[in-house]
Amino acid sequence: MNKNELISSIASSTGLTKTDSAKALDAFVSSVTSALKKGDEVRLVGFGTFAVSKRAATTGRNPRTGATIKIPARKQAKFKAGKALQDSVN
């Protein structure tokens, strides 16, 4: 499912227009993004948790040349599915 299909699904299940559904989805994504930028985590009970984790700096290898390269430390957004979501999928 892509973003347009998700917007259509939201619109059909809520009775909102596609424009309003798109605005709601964009607001949700923006809110989650700004919370993660601040270092907060977003918990949606029954759905899952969005959080930021830190990855340490490592060394890697260029597969084409075989040369070693340094991969800098960085933050990475992660999602962990909640129990209700996991149970409904299985």
Side-chain angles (χ1 to χ4, degrees):
M1 178 180 283
N2 62 30
K3 186 176 179 179
N4 287 331
E5 293 169 343
L6 180 59
I7 289 169
S8 296
S9 176
I10 292 170
S12 65
S13 65
T14 62
L16 295 172
T17 64
K18 285 187 179 183
T19 304
D20 289 339
S21 298
K23 287 179 185 177
L25 181 60
D26 289 340
F28 171 76
V29 171
S30 175
S31 297
V32 170
T33 302
S34 64
L36 293 178
K37 280 184 181 179
K38 289 185 217 173
D40 297 337
E41 64 178 31
V42 178
R43 292 183 189 196
L44 302 173
V45 176
F47 185 70
T49 303
F50 296 93
V52 175
S53 66
K54 295 179 182 175
R55 294 182 63 180
T58 60
T59 57
R61 186 170 300 275
N62 183 335
R64 183 173 291 159
T65 64
T68 53
I69 56 172
K70 293 182 181 179
I71 302 170
R74 61 182 289 185
K75 295 178 185 177
Q76 183 171 6
K78 294 201 174 192
F79 175 76
K80 182 178 179 193
K83 184 172 180 359
L85 177 62
Q86 196 66 28
D87 291 344
S88 69
V89 171
N90 291 321

